Amino acid sequence: MNARTSLPSALLEQLQSIVGEQRVKTDDDSLQTWGLDWTKHFEPQPSVIVFPGTTEEVQAIVKLANEHQIPVTPSGGRTGLSAGAVAANGEIVISLDRMNKVLDFLPADRLVRIQSGVVTEQLQQYAEQQGLYYPVDFAAAGSSQMGGNIGTNAGGIKVIHYGMTREWVLGLTVVTGKGDILHLNKGMIKNATGYALHQLFIGSEGTLGIVTEAEIKLTRAPQDLKVLVLSVPDFSAVMPILHAFQQRIDLTAFEFFNQVALEKVLAHGHAQRPFETESPLYVLLEFEGRFEAVVDDAMQIFEHCMEQGWILDGVMSQSQAQAQALWHLREGISETIAPFTPYKNDISVLITHVPAFIADVDAIVAANYPDFEVCWFGHIGDGNLHLNILKPANLTKDEFFEKCKVVNQFVFETVQKYNGSISAEHGVGMTKKDYLAYTRDVVEIGYMRELKKIFDPNGIMNPGKIFDL
Amino acid sequence: MNARTSLPSALLEQLQSIVGEQRVKTDDDSLQTWGLDWTKHFEPQPSVIVFPGTTEEVQAIVKLANEHQIPVTPSGGRTGLSAGAVAANGEIVISLDRMNKVLDFLPADRLVRIQSGVVTEQLQQYAEQQGLYYPVDFAAAGSSQMGGNIGTNAGGIKVIHYGMTREWVLGLTVVTGKGDILHLNKGMIKNATGYALHQLFIGSEGTLGIVTEAEIKLTRAPQDLKVLVLSVPDFSAVMPILHAFQQRIDLTAFEFFNQVALEKVLAHGHAQRPFETESPLYVLLEFEGRFEAVVDDAMQIFEHCMEQGWILDGVMSQSQAQAQALWHLREGISETIAPFTPYKNDISVLITHVPAFIADVDAIVAANYPDFEVCWFGHIGDGNLHLNILKPANLTKDEFFEKCKVVNQFVFETVQKYNGSISAEHGVGMTKKDYLAYTRDVVEIGYMRELKKIFDPNGIMNPGKIFDL
């Protein structure tokens, strides 16, 4: 089926009259580009891409879509990894690309009002220009848009200290699936006047409506960030290390990766081996070292951990360049393992359960697929693990993914056993929806379906994402 | 009407069979006690008070209430100031008093699992015993229960640094108005699997269901808190002071009060005048002074503010006792003005708008009621103002409150003008519901009504609170 031909020509004209002729695209290139996110398993098949410039234009498009009963997919930076922004069923894709302006800044409130098409890095830089800081950061920050971050409640590498996107959103302007414009919470820190509807939109993956503007809180920029990389003998040592540091130091990151991950990054070049001897695990931690006393404290804690045998070796950054080089050992992993066609999972369990969870999954993979290489890394300070299984050279991509589907089942059963989440920060989208019940029980999912009907009675908002109607 | 007689005797027996005979109370004293919160404008008239011990017992009661179509009011520490826990219409009051246990503590996650009847101070002390800190704090912490804090998203005096109750809730067990038990979010920091239902329950004032258990995050305890009290010439100086300190220091509080408030506290005794000369305004700020360099920094900023003329005089605590004495100047206000039968309001605007907002309200009161004394205080660091109008001696209580109702209208119109909130942290309950539309627009309120129907289709959960059905 050619989805485009199913679009009534009257509708196309109406869309053009809303946003202007040149802002409605139906050429194949555009349909391919804006119909897809970083998830590559799906065939994009939108009907049309529209580029509104205002909340009112978004509203007009959504109303039109309701009249014609045509599905709508909101589209941001398209960096999603769960196919939340993939349009594969003749959707009208509403791209927020043109709505990329910072609207206002209130210094006393440290509050910035933005359109939702503002790119994460653009906001980070804007904050820096004001002498402030927007702390949510992750690999895709150069492309991801704030609307998408809000839709998935994006997390990343600083969550242990700064929390998720949710904590920085003080207000949202949304167009609901029904076509109403709501100005939710209006930037207030304290507002106890009924249900927190903006919280419901955060993490809803565009299934309730479209976020068009947001009020975002900024904070003081951290100074003199120090990075420590530690080699650790086994997982039982990780929790006491975390505990020892957290008792006295406010960590801004606590990440881990295994030897498999480190070797891949080193083999890729542009990185220096941090220690002479190998170790099964590495921990990277970061803190603000603006006061000498804090750095001294960290050294004392480090020595204590060495004495306890929890740490085998360690290195601390002495300059910003060194800090960056150490971060690269962790942040370079995704890029370096990409050629190995990794089978990726983004899961979360309570920190308490991380060691047992990893042991369980390792055992399952080792028993069933002894030739699979497992690359673990993640934000252990918040219980978020990225499980990456690398494709053995002797398997085709299809054979490998077929086997991984079976692993999936095991992994998600283990997630369920530990009351964890099948998607920590990427969202459910289309790729995880079949597994939703491993984390949310059926009664809960029933309530979610009812909620969706309120905001989107015709079921036009990003259908097929999170759950099927 | 005697509400009790309207209760079917079969229902009483069923309640007894759920919780045990001695845990169902219908005597007048009990009905008075558990039918009321700190709001004293209403006549309590519940039918019966029940004291369940488990989530399952709560569920059984809610199911029964649905069968009999009898309203239910959840009841915690009954310290609410908006009549959210008042039972005035023959309700079954479900008291959480017996569900006051700490269930579990996970050190690696700094996570504590509690029943919702745990008192705030009990949780604070439990955290302290673990070498940690629960930072949400306010005057009623000795009586308020965590379930009630969650129901109103309680704030208090540390919000500028630690945020509202919402930021500390990582999971909830609830019984919905329909009678389903939901385990929401299960303590996870990162969980991107659909709508954040626990966020919806936080701040819903018991109108969607009853919170029976919660997973609460703890944090590192602050050390060597330093308190500064500053005398300030006028409101235009407050924002630059906040800005100057926040640029370099992480403030844990930034409060203000006016001369009227200070004089009342001083007249009440147990407090020492902080400065020889009067000043229209005072600011209290607090920060963690565990590093000498931070305290030095604060002194430098203080001197800079003096040079700019933003501060007239200042005093910094040199000991914990002094810190407490300085806090008393701010925290003693509520108690000292109580005999003046204050007409209280709990409002919020963006910090940017605070000076103009206060000027507007002062002008309105001065023009219409020149004999009214206005006592302002509040959490200016988060835009939350407590407006207190003191009753002139020559007016009766009724005359005074009649006039205040007119002031109310003016105040809420001013709140609306600045896009603020008619209830910053106390909740809407019954006392503010007529004014809800000054903060939430009618379309939003329409969605709220629809949401309520999903969780509470028979409308039995705390009816008459937030809005009428």
Side-chain angles (χ1 to χ4, degrees):
Chain A
M1 170 195 117
N2 185 335
R4 247 183 311 157
T5 57
S6 68
L7 205 66
S9 69
L11 176 62
L12 262 187
E13 281 164 33
Q14 285 168 306
L15 289 172
Q16 285 168 347
S17 78
I18 293 168
V19 295
E21 206 173 321
Q22 74 284 23
R23 289 162 188 156
V24 176
K25 292 185 193 283
T26 55
D27 62 288
D28 280 338
D29 267 11
S30 296
L31 296 182
Q32 283 287 322
T33 303
W34 278 277
L36 212 56
D37 62 14
W38 280 5
T39 329
K40 304 296 178 199
H41 323 312
F42 300 90
E43 191 58 46
Q45 199 134 17
S47 296
V48 57
I49 322 290
V50 284
F51 298 88
T54 64
T55 300
E56 288 67 27
E57 287 180 9
V58 173
Q59 180 185 41
I61 300 164
V62 170
K63 285 191 169 172
L64 207 56
N66 271 293
E67 279 166 34
H68 293 272
Q69 299 278 314
I70 292 179
V72 163
T73 291
S75 173
R78 288 165 285 114
T79 58
L81 295 169
S82 299
V86 168
N89 297 294
E91 293 92 341
I92 299 172
V93 172
I94 300 185
S95 166
L96 280 301
D97 284 3
R98 287 180 59 228
M99 294 184 64
N100 59 358
K101 284 160 209 71
V102 172
L103 301 172
D104 200 4
F105 173 61
L106 304 176
D109 290 273
R110 296 173 158 187
L111 192 76
V112 56
R113 284 208 177 94
I114 58 167
Q115 289 182 309
S116 62
V118 162
V119 169
T120 314
E121 200 174 77
Q122 180 190 351
L123 178 61
Q124 290 167 342
Q125 286 165 359
Y126 182 87
E128 210 180 312
Q129 285 157 16
Q130 315 309 320
L132 290 168
Y133 186 60
Y134 179 66
V136 180
D137 197 18
F138 44 86
S143 312
S144 74
Q145 292 177 7
M146 287 300 297
N149 297 357
I150 292 164
T152 54
N153 187 25
I157 56 178
K158 303 277 187 176
V159 171
I160 189 174
H161 187 64
Y162 293 103
M164 309 291 284
T165 297
R166 183 183 300 286
E167 294 194 34
W168 302 92
V169 176
L170 291 183
L172 291 179
T173 297
V174 302
V175 176
T176 68
K178 223 166 145 177
D180 292 315
I181 295 175
L182 303 180
H183 298 284
L184 302 172
N185 205 52
K186 302 168 189 163
M188 282 180 281
I189 294 170
K190 287 186 172 176
N191 178 19
T193 55
Y195 311 149
L197 300 185
H198 66 298
Q199 298 290 350
L200 206 53
F201 275 82
I202 300 169
S204 66
E205 301 186 41
T207 62
L208 302 178
I210 302 184
V211 173
T212 59
E213 294 179 12
E215 276 109 3
I216 305 286
K217 191 172 62 170
L218 303 176
T219 189
R220 182 181 64 75
Q223 286 161 39
D224 305 318
L225 288 171
K226 296 278 179 192
V227 178
L228 256 107
V229 172
L230 313 171
S231 73
V232 177
D234 60 65
F235 239 107
S236 68
V238 173
M239 297 305 143
I241 296 171
L242 175 62
H243 186 68
F245 277 95
Q246 265 191 323
Q247 271 189 309
R248 279 151 60 189
I249 291 179
D250 295 329
L251 299 174
T252 53
F254 192 87
E255 302 277 312
F256 93 110
F257 46 96
N258 68 358
Q259 174 63 19
V260 174
L262 179 65
E263 283 309 324
K264 299 294 176 208
V265 174
L266 293 175
H268 197 247
H270 315 296
Q272 212 184 325
R273 187 177 291 279
F275 309 110
E276 280 175 25
T277 50
E278 279 189 11
S279 154
L281 278 183
Y282 302 90
V283 162
L284 179 151
L285 60 88
E286 188 194 63
F287 60 92
E288 206 179 352
R290 62 202 279 243
F291 301 114
E292 209 42 45
V294 178
V295 182
D296 292 347
D297 232 8
M299 287 313 300
Q300 273 180 29
I301 299 165
F302 171 77
E303 278 158 28
H304 169 73
C305 292
M306 286 282 282
E307 282 161 22
Q308 300 293 317
W310 301 332
I311 297 176
L312 300 173
D313 206 347
V315 53
M316 181 156 75
S317 64
Q318 302 298 328
S319 68
Q320 217 181 322
Q322 279 181 26
Q324 271 173 9
L326 291 175
W327 259 116
H328 179 69
L329 298 176
R330 161 66 188 84
E331 291 210 286
I333 298 170
S334 271
E335 193 194 337
T336 12
I337 62 173
F340 297 88
T341 325
Y343 166 81
K344 286 169 163 295
N345 253 313
D346 162 47
I347 49 205
S348 164
V349 292
L350 292 189
I351 301 168
T352 303
H353 301 318
V354 165
F357 176 83
I358 290 185
D360 279 11
V361 172
D362 276 345
I364 289 163
V365 176
N368 295 281
Y369 306 97
D371 52 338
F372 280 11
E373 213 174 9
V374 179
C375 173
W376 283 104
F377 62 97
H379 320 289
I380 209 167
D382 53 46
N384 179 192
L385 305 171
H386 293 293
L387 161 66
N388 291 260
I389 300 174
L390 308 187
K391 189 180 79 60
N394 64 338
L395 287 184
T396 68
K397 206 169 147 177
D398 284 349
E399 286 167 346
F400 175 62
F401 277 117
E402 208 48 51
K403 290 189 181 214
C404 284
K405 268 193 194 162
V406 187
V407 180
N408 233 353
Q409 197 68 24
F410 290 139
V411 170
F412 290 149
E413 280 168 11
T414 313
V415 168
Q416 191 174 35
K417 173 179 158 190
Y418 290 104
N419 274 320
S421 177
I422 57 141
S423 177
E425 56 180 2
H426 294 170
V428 176
M430 292 202 279
T431 62
K432 300 288 166 60
K433 68 180 171 182
D434 293 341
Y435 307 102
L436 184 59
Y438 286 92
T439 294
R440 311 287 297 253
D441 82 22
V442 286
V443 183
E444 249 186 279
I445 296 171
Y447 280 106
M448 289 204 266
R449 283 182 204 283
E450 294 297 313
L451 277 175
K452 165 137 171 109
K453 281 185 205 157
I454 291 177
F455 292 94
D456 177 29
N458 293 321
I460 62 152
M461 283 308 307
N462 217 7
K465 315 297 159 57
I466 304 181
F467 41 66
D468 288 312
L469 292 184
Chain B
M1 172 195 113
N2 184 334
R4 247 182 309 158
T5 57
S6 68
L7 205 66
S9 69
L11 176 62
L12 262 188
E13 281 164 31
Q14 285 168 307
L15 288 171
Q16 286 170 347
S17 77
I18 294 168
V19 296
E21 205 174 321
Q22 75 284 22
R23 288 161 188 157
V24 176
K25 292 185 192 283
T26 54
D27 61 289
D28 280 338
D29 266 12
S30 297
L31 297 182
Q32 282 286 322
T33 303
W34 279 276
L36 212 56
D37 63 14
W38 280 5
T39 330
K40 305 295 180 201
H41 323 312
F42 300 90
E43 191 60 43
Q45 198 134 18
S47 296
V48 57
I49 321 292
V50 285
F51 298 87
T54 65
T55 300
E56 289 67 27
E57 287 180 10
V58 173
Q59 180 184 39
I61 299 164
V62 169
K63 285 191 168 173
L64 206 58
N66 271 294
E67 280 166 34
H68 293 271
Q69 300 277 312
I70 292 178
V72 163
T73 291
S75 173
R78 286 165 287 115
T79 59
L81 295 169
S82 299
V86 168
N89 297 294
E91 293 92 340
I92 299 174
V93 172
I94 299 185
S95 165
L96 280 302
D97 284 1
R98 287 180 58 229
M99 294 184 64
N100 59 357
K101 284 163 208 70
V102 172
L103 300 171
D104 201 3
F105 173 62
L106 304 176
D109 290 273
R110 294 174 160 186
L111 192 76
V112 56
R113 283 207 178 94
I114 58 167
Q115 290 182 308
S116 61
V118 161
V119 169
T120 313
E121 199 175 78
Q122 180 190 349
L123 177 61
Q124 290 167 340
Q125 286 166 359
Y126 182 87
E128 209 180 313
Q129 286 156 17
Q130 316 307 319
L132 290 167
Y133 185 60
Y134 179 66
V136 181
D137 197 18
F138 43 86
S143 311
S144 74
Q145 293 178 8
M146 287 300 297
N149 297 356
I150 291 165
T152 53
N153 188 25
I157 55 178
K158 304 277 186 173
V159 170
I160 189 174
H161 186 64
Y162 293 102
M164 308 291 283
T165 298
R166 183 182 301 285
E167 294 194 33
W168 301 92
V169 176
L170 291 183
L172 291 180
T173 297
V174 302
V175 176
T176 68
K178 222 165 146 179
D180 293 315
I181 295 175
L182 303 179
H183 298 285
L184 301 172
N185 204 54
K186 301 168 188 164
M188 282 180 281
I189 293 170
K190 286 187 174 178
N191 178 21
T193 56
Y195 312 147
L197 300 185
H198 65 299
Q199 298 290 351
L200 206 53
F201 275 83
I202 299 168
S204 66
E205 303 186 39
T207 62
L208 303 178
I210 301 184
V211 173
T212 58
E213 293 179 15
E215 276 108 5
I216 305 287
K217 192 170 62 168
L218 304 177
T219 190
R220 181 181 64 73
Q223 285 160 39
D224 305 317
L225 288 172
K226 296 278 180 193
V227 177
L228 255 107
V229 172
L230 312 171
S231 72
V232 177
D234 61 67
F235 240 108
S236 68
V238 174
M239 298 304 143
I241 296 171
L242 175 62
H243 186 68
F245 277 95
Q246 265 191 323
Q247 270 188 310
R248 280 150 62 189
I249 291 179
D250 296 329
L251 299 174
T252 53
F254 192 88
E255 303 276 313
F256 93 110
F257 45 95
N258 67 358
Q259 174 63 18
V260 174
L262 179 65
E263 283 308 325
K264 299 296 174 205
V265 173
L266 293 175
H268 196 245
H270 315 295
Q272 214 184 323
R273 186 177 293 277
F275 309 110
E276 279 175 29
T277 49
E278 279 190 12
S279 156
L281 277 183
Y282 301 91
V283 161
L284 178 151
L285 61 86
E286 188 196 60
F287 61 93
E288 207 179 351
R290 62 181 182 138
F291 300 115
E292 208 44 43
V294 178
V295 182
D296 292 347
D297 232 8
M299 287 313 299
Q300 273 179 28
I301 299 165
F302 170 77
E303 278 158 28
H304 169 73
C305 292
M306 285 282 283
E307 282 161 21
Q308 299 294 317
W310 301 332
I311 296 177
L312 301 174
D313 205 348
V315 53
M316 180 156 75
S317 65
Q318 301 300 328
S319 67
Q320 216 181 326
Q322 277 180 26
Q324 271 172 9
L326 291 175
W327 260 116
H328 179 68
L329 298 175
R330 161 67 188 84
E331 292 210 286
I333 299 170
S334 272
E335 193 193 337
T336 14
I337 63 173
F340 297 89
T341 327
Y343 165 80
K344 285 168 165 291
N345 252 315
D346 162 46
I347 49 206
S348 165
V349 293
L350 292 189
I351 301 168
T352 302
H353 302 319
V354 166
F357 176 83
I358 290 184
D360 280 11
V361 172
D362 275 347
I364 290 163
V365 176
N368 295 282
Y369 306 97
D371 53 337
F372 282 10
E373 212 174 11
V374 179
C375 172
W376 284 104
F377 62 96
H379 321 291
I380 209 167
D382 53 46
N384 180 191
L385 305 171
H386 294 292
L387 161 66
N388 291 260
I389 300 175
L390 309 187
K391 188 179 80 59
N394 64 336
L395 288 184
T396 68
K397 206 169 149 179
D398 284 350
E399 286 168 347
F400 176 62
F401 277 116
E402 208 49 51
K403 291 188 178 214
C404 284
K405 266 193 196 164
V406 187
V407 180
N408 233 354
Q409 198 67 24
F410 290 139
V411 170
F412 289 149
E413 280 168 10
T414 313
V415 168
Q416 190 173 34
K417 172 179 160 191
Y418 290 104
N419 274 319
S421 176
I422 57 141
S423 176
E425 55 178 3
H426 294 169
V428 176
M430 293 201 276
T431 62
K432 300 287 165 60
K433 69 180 171 182
D434 293 340
Y435 307 101
L436 184 60
Y438 285 93
T439 294
R440 311 288 296 254
D441 81 22
V442 286
V443 183
E444 249 187 278
I445 297 171
Y447 280 106
M448 290 206 264
R449 283 181 205 283
E450 294 298 312
L451 277 175
K452 168 144 171 102
K453 281 185 205 154
I454 292 176
F455 292 94
D456 178 29
N458 294 320
I460 62 153
M461 283 308 306
N462 217 9
K465 313 297 159 56
I466 303 182
F467 41 66
D468 288 312
L469 292 184

